[in-house]
Amino acid sequence: EKQHRPLIKRAVGSVVGLVRKYVPEAVSLVKNYFSKDIVYDLESHPDQPHTGGWFIPATKKLVANTYMIGRNSSFYIESLYHEGRHALRHALGSMDRLYNGFVKEVGEFWASMLYPMYEEGATSRLTQMELGRTMDGYAPYRAGAELVERDWGVRKLIYNTEEDARKILPSFLKGMNNWFTRNRSYITS
């Protein structure tokens, strides 16, 4: 675990930097969450050879698949950043509030499909902003999040209320649609 601490410290530090810049009123809350509430699971998961990590909101567990260090160390680092952004959104209550807003806007069925896409797109975009690149498989969702960012600002990728769903959904869906339109020949070939 000692060998991973500098990477975790860097990834968590960048989360605090995001909060300081875009949600300054929540800096103390986020620092406490990441230092006292998060359970870091730094273990090898060879049964998940293409997964860098995951975040489990119910248990506040951030899993970093150390198996990826040997396969693709850049992706391992990126995964720490990406999963840290999920944890940030959870710490701020954005996950639950925005999901509830999606339910109000489009019903439970569509919310259960669209909200996870938004969550991955937002965290992918935030990771890309920090690292300058991303190797994840969330390009269409990230394109939707990029349009949300352009239309409503970076803060909407981090902090959400239920009412934000009314603004976010049209921008997010339009951004994804634009991505699929631009990449149609790539997908079908």
Side-chain angles (χ1 to χ4, degrees):
E1 189 174 315
K2 270 186 179 180
Q3 69 189 27
H4 303 284
R5 282 190 191 145
L7 290 174
I8 291 170
K9 190 173 183 177
R10 196 172 93 196
V12 170
S14 74
V15 166
V16 173
L18 272 174
V19 173
R20 193 171 279 124
K21 186 172 183 178
Y22 296 106
V23 194
E25 66 274 18
V27 170
S28 294
L29 174 115
V30 170
K31 281 183 177 180
N32 284 335
Y33 185 85
F34 276 87
S35 65
K36 296 176 183 170
D37 295 340
I38 292 282
V39 175
Y40 295 95
D41 176 352
L42 308 170
E43 295 180 16
S44 181
H45 295 274
D47 57 320
Q48 300 286 330
H50 304 291
T51 304
W54 53 92
F55 176 67
I56 306 165
T59 59
K60 299 176 187 168
K61 187 180 218 180
L62 194 153
V63 178
N65 184 2
T66 59
Y67 181 75
M68 286 301 294
I69 292 172
R71 291 181 54 91
N72 187 336
S73 61
S74 294
F75 188 65
Y76 171 75
I77 292 167
E78 178 184 319
S79 295
L80 286 172
Y81 278 75
H82 181 95
E83 301 311 325
R85 272 116 187 97
H86 283 304
L88 166 62
R89 289 182 43 74
H90 185 259
L92 295 173
S94 295
M95 285 181 161
D96 292 337
R97 287 191 305 266
L98 192 59
Y99 175 77
N100 291 336
F102 275 40
V103 169
K104 286 180 181 177
E105 291 299 311
V106 295
E108 281 188 52
F109 175 77
W110 286 108
S112 70
M113 292 192 341
L114 293 172
Y115 178 76
M117 292 177 190
Y118 178 77
E119 182 65 32
E120 294 301 344
T123 55
S124 177
R125 177 62 185 139
L126 290 167
T127 301
Q128 181 187 46
M129 289 167 57
E130 180 72 22
L131 299 177
R133 53 135 175 91
T134 183
M135 293 179 266
D136 65 31
Y138 301 122
Y141 309 153
R142 189 172 52 255
E146 287 171 352
L147 192 55
V148 169
E149 175 190 353
R150 191 187 79 204
D151 290 350
W152 305 106
V154 174
R155 183 177 163 108
K156 293 292 181 226
L157 300 179
I158 301 167
Y159 180 82
N160 301 117
T161 64
E162 282 187 22
E163 293 76 31
D164 289 336
R166 181 167 284 152
K167 296 174 181 177
I168 287 172
L169 270 168
S171 296
F172 180 65
L173 292 171
K174 182 178 179 184
M176 279 199 321
N177 186 56
N178 290 344
W179 186 91
F180 281 114
T181 299
R182 284 191 314 270
N183 292 284
R184 185 182 346 241
S185 62
Y186 169 75
I187 294 168
T188 58
S189 51

